[in-house]
Amino acid sequence: MYYWRVTKYNPLYRSEKDVYLKDEWTSFSDVDGINLTMDEYLLTENAYVNAVFYFMSDMGITTLEISDLEKYDLEEIGQSGQILYPNEMISLFNSIHERDIISIKNIGHVCRLVLREALWCKLKYQHSFFVHFGFDYYMYIGCSLKCDKAIEKIIKSGLFVEPCESPYS
């Protein structure tokens, strides 16, 4: 297997002990319209979602299985009482269960729900692919293939890809 950490954090700003030293936003809850606008946030969120799609494309897979599902209260999520979830995301949130097989049509919604801290789960395809989301906007991917095309596209999108095993395995 090949393992990567995909983040918005430039590795140049990491200490020798892998601590990120630069002060940056780390959560959907940081969207305040001043220091971080929704448009700025969405640029990064879209890059993360696309990163998952790039790897899935390189792997030739179109579904992922949900595991270790945790759901949170949607009413408590969002800045200043605003719920920023389209109806299809809310519907998916309400219907999703452990071990569900999610089609590529809904993978982006699941990723967004995780990144927006409405739920947490691991995504996997058999024993050949996984996506794990960590705290502070860290994402871990494991693949049975090297996926050079996906990595190239992710780097072009402005994210950073570093060899790293998932702490959630």
Side-chain angles (χ1 to χ4, degrees):
M1 288 284 282
Y2 298 91
Y3 304 98
W4 298 277
R5 174 173 60 196
V6 177
T7 70
K8 66 186 197 74
Y9 306 112
N10 188 332
L12 293 175
Y13 299 106
R14 289 191 193 283
S15 73
E16 292 175 6
K17 295 184 179 185
D18 205 36
V19 174
Y20 195 71
L21 303 172
K22 197 171 174 188
D23 187 26
E24 293 188 27
W25 66 268
T26 60
S27 169
F28 178 64
S29 63
D30 291 336
V31 175
D32 62 5
I34 299 165
N35 297 308
L36 178 64
T37 67
M38 190 62 178
D39 287 342
E40 291 168 326
Y41 169 83
L42 286 173
L43 285 173
T44 301
E45 182 184 78
N46 289 338
Y48 274 70
V49 171
N50 287 335
V52 174
F53 287 141
Y54 296 149
F55 273 106
M56 288 178 69
S57 176
D58 275 15
M59 292 290 296
I61 57 179
T62 58
T63 62
L64 294 175
E65 181 181 344
I66 299 284
S67 70
D68 300 292
L69 179 65
E70 298 174 16
K71 287 185 175 183
Y72 309 112
D73 186 355
L74 274 182
E75 294 301 318
E76 293 179 8
I77 304 207
Q79 192 66 18
S80 303
Q82 293 177 316
I83 304 294
L84 301 171
Y85 301 97
N87 288 335
E88 60 270 12
M89 281 174 66
I90 292 170
S91 177
L92 180 63
F93 175 87
N94 289 329
S95 66
I96 199 167
H97 294 92
E98 181 75 14
R99 301 194 64 165
D100 279 354
I101 304 299
I102 306 299
S103 71
I104 199 157
K105 173 184 153 209
N106 286 318
I107 296 293
H109 292 318
V110 171
C111 293
R112 290 177 199 287
L113 286 165
V114 174
L115 292 167
R116 294 179 188 192
E117 302 168 351
L119 61 82
W120 187 86
C121 66
K122 295 178 182 178
L123 300 169
K124 66 180 181 176
Y125 183 80
Q126 299 173 358
H127 297 290
S128 62
F129 178 76
F130 69 76
V131 180
H132 298 163
F133 296 91
F135 293 103
D136 297 339
Y137 241 77
Y138 283 81
M139 184 168 69
Y140 302 90
I141 295 183
C143 294
S144 60
L145 302 176
K146 205 169 179 187
C147 297
D148 290 331
K149 288 180 185 176
I151 291 169
E152 184 178 318
K153 289 177 184 176
I154 294 165
I155 292 168
K156 283 183 181 176
S157 79
L159 298 180
F160 299 92
V161 182
E162 306 165 87
C164 183
E165 290 192 33
S166 172
Y168 302 97
S169 294

